[in-house]
Amino acid sequence: MQRNRNKLLDKVKKEVMELRSQSLHNAVIINLLREQPSQQLKRSWDIEIKVGKRPIFQLPAKVNIMQVFDRMKGKLLLLGNSGCGKTTTLLELARKLIIRAEKNPNTPIPVLLDLATWQNHHQKISNWLVNQINIKYNIPHQVTINWLENRLLLPLIDSFDQVPTELSEYCLEGINKLSVDFQPKHLVICSSFTAYKNCYNKFRVNAAVLLKPLKTNQIQDYLLVARSRELWSYIQDEPELLNLAKTPLMLSMMTLAYEEILMAAWMRITSKQEKEKYLLNAYIRSQLGVENNYRFYSKRKEPLPEQTRRWLSWLAKRMAAENLQEFRIEKLQPSWLNYHGELQAYQLTTNLISLISVLFWGFAFGFILTLIWQWQLGLIGGAISGLIGGILSLPGIKKLVLRIILFSHGHIPWNYRRFLNYSASKLLLQKVGNRYQFIHYLLYKHFLEM
């Protein structure tokens, strides 16, 4: 049991470190300030707390999320608009909880879970949790069940707002049922304020933590510290751009993408959605043009920007179709092929190669066995060997054919892992172990709509 506990802690710790190091806030500090960020990245947004029916109160700047967690006995709901810092706050809490769990073997183990992977209202949240811990961290189901029953898990549940609207009540009730059935000592849930407000029922937690949009003076301080005085001079008198900058994610993107933004053109855009779209496109251009220390491709051999956009757009569409929040190359499936010739070509090619494989192994072993034994035994042995050889080589053949077809139709480059690592180095994707995800849900939706 202790070995599994250490294994899970190590994996969660690595996941948290990798996700925090690949955040946009972290990139601003390193790329613009030329500094290494401290272990605790200072939040620039205000936090308000709501406990029961008591009045809302603002959290002092010196009080961190871990102190709130302890005061509220470890049962919190994190609320805020998309891009407001919920996941950043959750990761900071996870980092401190891991340190605590490493020091005390009786402390529950924090685990990061994404509710966007829950899409079946017939599935119990407890079963979903067990399956996700098995998929993400390779922990056996029974071990996780034992931990749940003994209150040794600390679920940190993100993305309630990404559950389909028609399923949100089922999901909320399922999480509350988890709280009643297993009575975890601690539980933290993240959601957008809008998604939670529209729910009839409420989570069984001790307090709601609301992450507020940035104030004008906070935006100014952030940009001046990030050496973006010129950007501040442009947006300070533009209410719509200033309003966009109130979201920490958008402010970080503005800071990183400033050189790719034509301010006069951006100011002329009237729609908020089009302004966001312009910024996301500028951010992508900026990241693809930035030099970094990673050398996944030799000089002038990097994918063209339009290739990168096309490949990532295709990946986003396939992940949406398969309801995936994370992608692994090993999980590429024939279902990712379209029905306009690709799937038929795959089936025909795999069947043909399988037949050739069977004949090859059958002939090879049959010939050898005929030389050793009588020809009748050689034929029988060759037939058996051909079938066995064909079956054993079939999975490898299917994967190879799938990659060839996806490559030949321009959906992926030949060396797909190198491209995904390259995209992660450009802060378009995030990489955790052998899993990849888009750096933020807003960017994922942007590629999805390309």
Side-chain angles (χ1 to χ4, degrees):
M1 185 67 76
Q2 186 61 40
R3 183 173 61 84
N4 281 319
R5 186 181 193 278
N6 292 339
K7 173 184 173 183
L8 180 57
L9 262 178
D10 287 343
K11 290 192 173 185
V12 177
K13 182 178 182 179
K14 182 179 179 183
E15 179 181 20
V16 170
M17 288 175 62
E18 290 182 342
L19 289 174
R20 292 179 81 242
S21 69
Q22 296 172 74
S23 73
L24 297 190
H25 185 51
N26 187 79
V28 171
I29 293 172
I30 292 177
N31 295 348
L32 300 180
L33 299 185
R34 307 297 179 189
E35 296 177 2
Q36 281 301 116
S38 62
Q39 277 294 323
Q40 181 174 342
L41 298 177
K42 183 182 177 183
R43 63 178 168 89
S44 50
W45 52 89
D46 290 330
I47 293 179
E48 292 183 347
I49 310 292
K50 173 69 174 171
V51 183
K53 295 182 179 180
R54 300 176 198 169
I56 294 174
F57 64 92
Q58 186 166 315
L59 191 69
K62 293 182 179 179
V63 178
N64 61 48
I65 191 64
M66 187 67 176
Q67 291 168 305
V68 178
F69 176 87
D70 288 336
R71 289 180 190 178
M72 299 303 152
K73 299 181 180 178
K75 292 196 174 179
L76 296 176
L77 172 64
L78 296 181
L79 294 172
N81 297 324
S82 184
C84 73
K86 297 187 299 295
T87 301
T88 301
T89 304
L90 190 69
L91 289 173
E92 173 59 17
L93 177 60
R95 184 184 72 83
K96 295 194 172 187
L97 289 170
I98 290 165
I99 294 171
R100 180 176 291 179
E102 287 177 328
K103 292 178 179 177
N104 186 350
N106 297 318
T107 301
I109 312 163
V111 286
L112 294 167
L113 301 164
D114 195 319
L115 273 173
T117 60
W118 183 88
Q119 300 285 328
N120 180 3
H121 71 275
H122 295 297
Q123 184 184 30
K124 290 183 178 180
I125 291 295
S126 56
N127 293 339
W128 164 81
L129 182 149
V130 170
N131 287 334
Q132 286 300 302
I133 290 177
N134 175 256
I135 293 169
K136 284 187 69 175
Y137 306 117
N138 197 28
I139 300 296
H141 289 77
Q142 192 55 52
V143 173
T144 304
I145 292 170
N146 289 338
W147 281 336
L148 260 181
E149 291 172 345
N150 290 287
R151 305 171 71 199
L152 292 173
L153 279 180
L154 199 170
L156 303 172
I157 302 177
D158 202 356
S159 305
F160 176 74
D161 47 294
Q162 291 180 36
V163 174
T165 307
E166 65 274 13
L167 299 180
S168 57
E169 289 290 348
Y170 292 105
C171 183
L172 192 153
E173 290 171 9
I175 293 174
N176 283 342
K177 191 172 189 315
L178 173 77
S179 295
V180 172
D181 292 347
F182 295 96
Q183 298 183 352
K185 293 178 182 178
H186 312 298
L187 176 66
V188 182
I189 307 154
C190 282
S191 173
S192 72
F193 182 77
T194 304
Y196 184 61
K197 182 182 68 174
N198 292 335
C199 291
Y200 177 77
N201 292 301
K202 301 302 173 189
F203 285 116
R204 293 174 178 265
V205 292
N206 296 332
V209 176
L210 179 61
L211 308 187
K212 301 291 290 180
L214 296 172
K215 296 175 182 175
T216 301
N217 66 305
Q218 292 171 325
I219 297 171
Q220 181 182 11
D221 290 345
Y222 182 93
L223 291 177
L224 294 182
V225 169
R227 299 176 187 173
S228 297
R229 186 180 297 272
E230 189 176 356
L231 175 58
W232 168 247
S233 69
Y234 275 113
I235 71 171
Q236 62 178 325
D237 297 321
E238 291 291 327
E240 291 182 355
L241 294 182
L242 202 57
N243 189 53
L244 192 62
K246 289 180 180 179
T247 302
L249 174 75
M250 292 299 176
L251 181 59
S252 294
M253 283 190 171
M254 285 184 192
T255 308
L256 292 169
Y258 175 64
E259 292 185 2
E260 289 293 332
I261 296 174
L262 297 175
M263 295 303 300
W266 199 24
M267 290 174 185
R268 284 197 298 269
I269 300 172
T270 55
S271 163
K272 180 185 176 184
Q273 288 74 20
E274 289 301 314
K275 271 185 162 61
E276 285 187 6
K277 185 177 178 181
Y278 182 95
L279 176 58
L280 290 166
N281 282 325
Y283 171 76
I284 293 168
R285 290 196 304 272
S286 170
Q287 292 306 110
L288 292 179
V290 73
E291 291 286 337
N292 58 37
N293 295 325
Y294 301 98
R295 286 287 177 264
F296 295 106
Y297 294 92
S298 55
K299 204 143 183 89
R300 297 190 181 86
K301 295 293 183 180
E302 299 96 343
L304 296 173
E306 55 267 29
Q307 289 178 314
T308 299
R309 283 192 286 267
R310 185 175 73 247
W311 289 333
L312 289 178
S313 176
W314 179 84
L315 177 62
K317 289 179 172 64
R318 296 318 309 159
M319 288 175 68
E322 299 290 327
N323 187 33
L324 298 174
Q325 296 306 307
E326 295 182 329
F327 168 68
R328 305 182 192 202
I329 294 177
E330 298 77 13
K331 297 297 181 181
L332 275 173
Q333 299 294 330
S335 60
W336 287 48
L337 299 170
N338 67 40
Y339 291 95
H340 305 294
E342 292 177 6
L343 189 59
Q344 295 90 330
Y346 169 80
Q347 292 170 338
L348 179 64
T349 306
T350 53
N351 290 337
L352 180 61
I353 294 178
S354 297
L355 177 60
I356 293 171
S357 177
V358 169
L359 293 174
F360 170 78
W361 290 111
F363 175 79
F365 280 98
F367 179 75
I368 294 170
L369 293 173
T370 301
L371 295 177
I372 300 172
W373 298 326
Q374 297 178 358
W375 67 271
Q376 294 95 334
L377 293 174
L379 288 176
I380 295 171
I384 295 171
S385 299
L387 288 172
I388 294 173
I391 292 170
L392 291 176
S393 62
L394 191 57
I397 290 171
K398 285 185 172 181
K399 286 183 179 179
L400 178 61
V401 172
L402 178 59
R403 293 280 288 275
I404 290 172
I405 290 177
L406 291 173
F407 169 71
S408 64
H409 283 81
H411 299 317
I412 65 173
W414 181 248
N415 191 334
Y416 202 21
R417 191 177 302 280
R418 179 170 64 172
F419 169 72
L420 294 174
N421 290 337
Y422 165 79
S423 298
S425 75
K426 298 296 185 180
L427 292 182
L428 301 175
L429 300 178
Q430 285 178 323
K431 177 177 183 278
V432 180
N434 64 343
R435 311 192 310 267
Y436 300 88
Q437 63 185 26
F438 284 88
I439 196 160
H440 194 273
Y441 183 66
L442 287 176
L443 194 65
Y444 161 72
K445 284 204 305 181
H446 182 68
F447 278 110
L448 191 61
E449 293 166 1
M450 278 187 180

